[in-house]
Amino acid sequence: MAGRADSTVLAGARVVLPTGTVEDGRVIVEGTRIVGGAAEGARTVDLSGHWVVPGFVDMHNHGGGGASFTSGTVDEVLTGIRTHREHGTTTLVASTVTGEMDFLAQRAGVLSELVEQGDLAGIHFEGPFISPCRKGAHSEDLLRHPDPAEVRKLMDAARGTAKMFTLATELPGGIESVRLLAEHGVIAAIGHTDATYEQTVEAIDAGATVATHLYNAMPGLGHRAPGPIAALLEDERITVELINDGTHLHPAALELAYHHAGAHRVALITDAMDAAGFGDGRYQLGPLAVEVKDGVARLVEGNSIAGSTLTLDTAFHRAVTIDRIPVGDVVQSISANPARLLGVYDKVGSLDPGKDADLVILDADFTLKGVMRKGEWIVDPQIG
């Protein structure tokens, strides 16, 4: 790392702002913040031929760099966070997987300290309140109905740092749990669900606002029984998570979500597990063994997809170059939308003056070249 940029002008790049892309634009960094004007003697970095976009915000991530957010030590969790920062994710929520309630409460205590220190943006509980019919890479023996009292137990253990719960809202206690979460400002996400269209509408009306990795771990779209996908895509109150790794979704499914929901309702996520940024091999996802081969993670028993090895710079690159989604729409999906959902858009998610100096530099081919977080180079672009 090259250290903190106390006064730096990033000049000559295409700068993506909420209002559009500025050709030959500039971003001025003073200390940890983006500012409106440059101090005398500020260093100028010539970024001609590059893009400057906001730091990425990942609201669904289980680990990386060989480290698990569900079971790793504090140092291991920090390793996972650092791995994703090196790939442009400057704001990160740690996701757990299904486990015993007492274990999850203990993990919430560990992760909440890292939230309080500013290393994480919050905690996402994915399981145990999910459907055995759509369990994916979750241990069926540990699944349970979404009892509001148990949801509250995990919220309390997280000491105000719980940001999201994924629930199969059709199960007993599901609607009551959604209402409880909504009342406390915590995102209720519909996922790992076997719900009907009508049951999904009921959950949205109760306060659910996110679709956990749309299409995955839920019934497919049917013409007589449209299921949850239709309800989630059509409702303006729902933001849909998408895993754009080339494995979880066919490009046509991604295009359908963008076309029907609009970029303002898409959040690109990784759903990453330990192998992200680390490599193939044998891993654990909670209590389950996972084999990663050619970058695809699957359970050893049953062969279900077990999270991803995705990093958000790859998701960005695919979205622009393969899926042909406009750059501004991708930035909205990978930075602004998740920042708003997490309640941190006043600090991150765009390159507006006054916000944290969290940004990513991409070359003309949309390959990551630099990452800055709070004014500090995580990946120094070595330009200018």
Side-chain angles (χ1 to χ4, degrees), residues 32 44 68-69 76 145 167-168 173 223 234 253 302 324 329 343 358 363:
T32 64
T44 297
S68 167
F69 297 153
E76 288 169 342
H145 292 161
L167 310 170
H223 64 290
E234 74 183 7
R324 303 296 180 185
D329 288 352
D358 290 4
D363 68 13

Side-chain angles (χ1 to χ4, degrees), residues 15 27 65 97 133 154 165 173 183 261 295 307 310 319 329 333 343 365:
V15 178
V27 177
V97 296
C133 302
L154 293 182
F165 281 72
E183 287 168 6
L310 184 64
D329 288 352
S333 302
D365 296 322

Side-chain angles (χ1 to χ4, degrees), residues 306-377:
S308 84
T309 62
L310 184 64
T311 52
L312 281 181
D313 58 330
T314 298
F316 192 111
H317 187 272
R318 283 187 58 88
V320 175
T321 62
I322 296 174
D323 304 306
R324 303 296 180 185
I325 299 169
V327 175
D329 288 352
V330 178
V331 168
Q332 194 173 6
S333 302
I334 211 166
S335 299
N337 295 345
R340 286 194 185 95
L341 282 165
L342 297 172
V344 294
Y345 189 66
D346 59 326
K347 299 184 180 71
V348 301
S350 74
L351 298 175
D352 292 316
K355 293 195 176 185
D356 291 348
D358 290 4
L359 54 88
V360 174
I361 297 169
L362 305 167
D363 68 13
D365 296 322
F366 300 99
T367 299
L368 184 144
K369 293 297 180 182
V371 181
M372 178 183 283
R373 184 176 186 270
K374 293 188 176 180
E376 182 176 350
W377 288 115

Side-chain angles (χ1 to χ4, degrees), residues 139-175:
S139 177
E140 185 168 354
D141 293 344
L142 299 174
L143 299 183
R144 51 214 298 135
H145 292 161
D147 180 349
E150 294 193 323
V151 171
R152 185 60 187 262
K153 175 182 177 178
L154 293 182
M155 287 172 57
D156 290 345
R159 303 199 301 265
T161 67
K163 288 290 186 179
M164 183 163 67
F165 281 72
T166 293
L167 310 170
T169 53
E170 75 278 8
L171 295 176
I175 297 300

